[in-house]
Amino acid sequence: MSPRPDLVDFHCHLDLYPDLGRAVAACERRRAATLAVTTTPKAFSRNREAAGSSDFVRVALGLHPQLVTERASEIDLFERLLPETRYVGEVGLDAGPRFYRSLELQTTVFRRVLKSCAEAGEKILTLHSVRAAKRVLDLVERELPPGRGTVVLHWFTGTASEARRGVELGCYFSVNDRMLASPAGRRIAAAVPSDRLVTETDGPFVERDGQPVEPADVEPAIASLAKIRDVPPDAMKVAVVENFSRLVSNITTG
Ligand code: MN
């Protein structure tokens, strides 16, 4: 039984900080339930070792859509490692200009990820969906039926109606302070039911004052969310921890 966290960072690349051990320690110190996402299956074991007996860090098995061109063959390793964890990510699709060319290959890989998760059951996935919200939701709807897994849409940049569709499919949303700095991001955070929201940093990719955010530094996201949803910051913080607890328990949503 893990101790109750004070904070939630449901999408952080701990292994892309200069010192993975220190990044894990920062999450422990802040008592932040942290999902350490990975970008290739080969990185999973190193993260697992670093997380060791951590109370607050969980490690996800990932295959990042932006790396699929070079790493598609690692889908076999992904499937072999899948029984070792309940958490999957970063996976998904990226149809932005730099990665559009690999969208068909990304789709093939992502479909295999979803199918193997549905087959295994009870996985929790953190999904990338840049310029591909509709296609990601279509694939989730088709390949990962409710009761076969839970999806968290990370830094969702789709439309408000696509966000509502995600809600109907049982998805959670993880939001960071960069996302909440944009009007579109704030609209999503306002539209999603309050019991489907968790916080993330997406560190070290998100910067604050020219520096990468620290792992688990989600207080600015909590403050923004509280403002957007017009609730006291302390209540927002507690609600996010409760949402996280429900998400990782076995209660099926949607
Ligand atoms: Mn990420």
Side-chain angles (χ1 to χ4, degrees), residues 3 41 65 86 110 114 117 121 171 188 194 209:
R86 212 178 144 212
F110 183 45
L114 292 173
C117 288
C171 301
I188 303 280
S194 58
D209 307 321

Side-chain angles (χ1 to χ4, degrees), residues 11-13 16 37-39 64 90 126 128 154-155 200-205:
H11 187 110
C12 187
H13 298 264
L16 300 182
V37 296
T38 55
T39 54
H64 199 292
E90 183 162 0
T126 174
H128 179 110
H154 135 73
W155 197 338
E200 64 165 49
T201 56
D202 201 18
F205 292 112

Side-chain angles (χ1 to χ4, degrees), residues 32-172:
T34 302
L35 188 62
V37 296
T38 55
T39 54
T40 77
K42 280 188 181 148
F44 178 75
S45 303
R46 184 169 86 90
N47 278 263
R48 235 325 158 55
E49 273 162 39
S53 57
S54 160
D55 282 327
F56 296 105
V57 177
R58 294 160 165 82
V59 179
L61 174 64
L63 182 44
H64 199 292
Q66 295 176 350
L67 299 180
V68 155
T69 303
E70 311 91 70
R71 303 293 191 130
S73 64
E74 285 188 44
I75 187 68
D76 295 326
L77 180 59
F78 176 94
E79 287 178 344
R80 279 202 299 282
L81 290 172
L82 188 60
E84 294 185 25
T85 182
R86 212 178 144 212
Y87 299 92
V88 171
E90 183 162 0
V91 294
L93 298 177
D94 192 315
R98 282 177 62 206
F99 303 101
Y100 192 79
R101 266 172 308 167
S102 67
L103 189 58
E104 288 315 310
L105 183 58
Q106 291 178 42
T107 303
T108 303
V109 167
F110 183 45
R111 187 177 281 127
R112 255 180 86 176
V113 165
L114 292 173
K115 275 181 189 293
S116 50
C117 288
E119 204 172 303
E122 297 195 344
K123 304 296 184 193
I124 299 173
L125 297 79
T126 174
L127 302 190
H128 179 110
S129 56
V130 169
R131 298 215 189 171
K134 183 186 182 300
R135 194 186 275 231
V136 164
L137 293 170
D138 285 348
L139 285 164
V140 166
E141 184 169 28
R142 205 171 310 140
E143 308 292 355
L144 194 69
R148 297 310 301 162
T150 307
V151 163
V152 182
L153 296 165
H154 135 73
W155 197 338
F156 190 72
T157 52
T159 63
S161 79
E162 285 165 338
R164 279 193 294 277
R165 189 176 162 216
V167 171
E168 279 158 25
L169 292 173
C171 301
Y172 283 70

